[in-house]
Amino acid sequence: MSYRSDGVLKKEDLQRALPSEERLRRGPVIIIECVEYIPCNPCVAACPKGAITIDGDINGTPEVDVETCDGCGVCLSACPGLAIFAVDASGDGETAVVRVPYEYRPLPEMGEEVTALDREGQAVGTARVTKIVNSRAMDRTPVVSLEVERDKVMEVRHFVRKKGAE
Ligand code: SF4
Ligand code: SF4
């Protein structure tokens, strides 16, 4: 993958980074959106299955073996750059789930409707909070599950609470 100084994946990066539709339909899997040339690798150590590797020196970009990854989500909280997401597009319904690391406070409420944002911070619709995982082991980086329209599962990467919800 090419390095990007703004840290944001471009369309051509996405075509290479995304799992196949067939893999997405099989169950949850992570998407790593780490494209900066930086010395970092906690994601590699965090994965109990050894699914994440960095080719070359520590400044390289990590890659995930999507056949080994079971989407457990452990690596999401381990990434200091909040650059790992998990998607579950396995159902046949009109919605899918995106899990995002979230360090703002207060945390949203279960069931809350929030504004979904894309990887550049642009609003792309509404999402619903379906799960919040915030254990001590996650070191203050909770993971929030968002139910989104299925065709937005590769677009939504963050959210903001709607006015009045804070
Ligand atoms: S989601 Fe779990 S299995 Fe997949 S890369 Fe992360 S830690 Fe490994
Ligand atoms: S921990 Fe996060 S920022 Fe660091 S290399 Fe892994 S994905 Fe990139």
Side-chain angles (χ1 to χ4, degrees):
M1 195 179 294
S2 308
Y3 295 112
R4 304 288 182 194
S5 57
D6 63 1
V8 179
L9 270 73
K10 303 295 180 279
K11 206 176 264 181
E12 58 269 32
D13 300 324
L14 280 172
Q15 279 159 3
R16 284 197 294 270
L18 298 188
S20 66
E21 185 65 24
E22 185 275 326
R23 173 63 189 87
L24 288 172
R25 290 219 168 259
R26 254 191 284 141
V29 65
I30 59 156
I31 313 289
I32 302 183
E33 304 204 3
C34 175
V35 286
E36 290 183 80
Y37 187 76
I38 48 169
C40 186
N41 68 355
C43 53
V44 175
C47 178
K49 291 178 156 264
I52 302 177
T53 52
I54 293 179
D55 195 22
D57 70 55
I58 194 174
N59 293 294
T61 52
E63 304 228 342
V64 61
D65 175 354
V66 296
E67 297 304 319
T68 303
C69 172
D70 63 5
C72 72
V74 167
C75 54
L76 272 69
S77 297
C79 169
L82 308 183
I84 306 180
F85 309 88
V87 299
D88 185 354
S90 57
D92 284 328
E94 292 176 1
T95 59
V97 174
V98 182
R99 277 178 279 158
V100 302
Y102 187 79
E103 293 186 336
Y104 292 90
R105 298 294 186 274
L107 290 171
E109 306 285 334
M110 280 291 294
E112 185 175 325
E113 284 214 338
V114 295
T115 300
L117 304 179
D118 68 12
R119 52 183 60 79
E120 297 189 71
Q122 300 298 315
V124 289
T126 294
R128 193 168 63 87
V129 174
T130 56
K131 191 171 181 184
I132 301 167
V133 182
N134 186 20
S135 71
R136 183 171 290 193
M138 295 163 85
D139 194 22
R140 295 184 290 278
T141 305
V143 171
V144 176
S145 296
L146 301 173
E147 184 182 63
V148 301
E149 291 169 40
R150 199 180 192 288
D151 63 358
K152 299 237 171 83
V153 76
M154 290 305 168
E155 237 181 296
V156 175
R157 291 296 177 263
H158 194 50
F159 67 91
V160 286
R161 301 183 74 191
K162 295 190 175 181
K163 226 175 171 62
E166 296 87 359

